[in-house]
Amino acid sequence: MRKAQAKKQSGGQGKSNETACRLDKWLWAARFFKTRQQAKNAIERGKIKYDGARPKSSRTVQVGVELVIQKEREERTVIVDGLGVRRGSATDASLLYTETEESIEARLAAQALKKAEWAAQPDYGRRPDKASRRKIHRFKNVNDTD
């Protein structure tokens, strides 16, 4: 009971100008992950590097630290500029970190490559109608060697 009362008096979840914050909480507040559980799972699977080392989710984040964040197929390298324990808007979250130039260039190059691969695939237009499907089935059945 005393802890709950002390928490209410101290302002709830904490102040935004704290000197320390848990890594999973920071990743969630900076909007890299939708939930703290997703952030924790990514840390446990080794998708997050803290100054080149594999951290625990309870690791304390400090300003000026370099984080490498792998999410899906993209990798971002960011420098921590601020600590936030509350999840705010995307503009507030973008103030918590700065992405490195190399990371931005690599991400844009990967996006361009993905776009080029997608453009190289043939465009068949629309799905075949019933008459076209019958022709396809007839063609396949005539050429079956089973």
Side-chain angles (χ1 to χ4, degrees):
M1 185 73 172
R2 286 185 171 179
K3 287 183 181 179
Q5 289 174 346
K7 193 172 188 179
K8 281 185 179 180
Q9 291 174 354
S10 69
Q13 294 192 5
K15 300 169 187 161
S16 61
N17 58 0
E18 289 186 11
T19 58
C21 176
R22 287 175 54 106
L23 180 58
D24 59 347
K25 201 168 192 177
W26 186 88
L27 290 168
W28 168 76
R31 292 184 165 262
F32 286 106
F33 296 96
K34 286 187 177 183
T35 65
R36 282 182 63 186
Q37 186 64 43
Q38 288 176 348
K40 181 181 177 192
N41 291 339
I43 294 166
E44 289 173 354
R45 283 186 264 125
K47 303 292 183 181
I48 310 296
K49 298 283 189 258
Y50 185 95
D51 273 343
R54 190 172 173 177
K56 292 185 177 181
S57 59
S58 61
R59 174 74 189 243
T60 303
V61 178
Q62 296 168 344
V63 175
V65 171
E66 181 180 271
L67 296 175
V68 178
I69 302 164
Q70 289 181 331
K71 189 173 175 189
E72 297 167 1
R73 294 184 189 130
E74 85 179 21
E75 183 177 297
R76 291 181 177 209
T77 304
V78 298
I79 307 295
V80 177
D81 290 337
L83 302 175
V85 292
R86 292 190 181 192
R87 188 174 172 104
S89 66
T91 54
D92 292 342
S94 66
L95 299 174
L96 297 177
Y97 63 91
T98 304
E99 189 171 2
T100 62
E101 291 296 325
E102 298 86 18
S103 175
I104 294 170
E105 290 172 8
R107 193 166 39 88
L108 293 176
Q111 286 176 355
L113 180 64
K114 186 176 177 182
K115 192 179 243 187
E117 288 174 354
W118 183 255
Q121 292 186 1
D123 183 20
Y124 296 111
R126 57 187 172 88
R127 294 175 56 187
D129 58 357
K130 191 169 186 175
S132 299
R133 277 196 305 276
R134 286 182 179 157
K135 288 179 185 176
I136 292 169
H137 289 301
R138 271 191 226 119
F139 178 76
K140 285 184 176 181
N141 288 337
V142 169
N143 293 329
D144 276 345
T145 57
D146 290 339

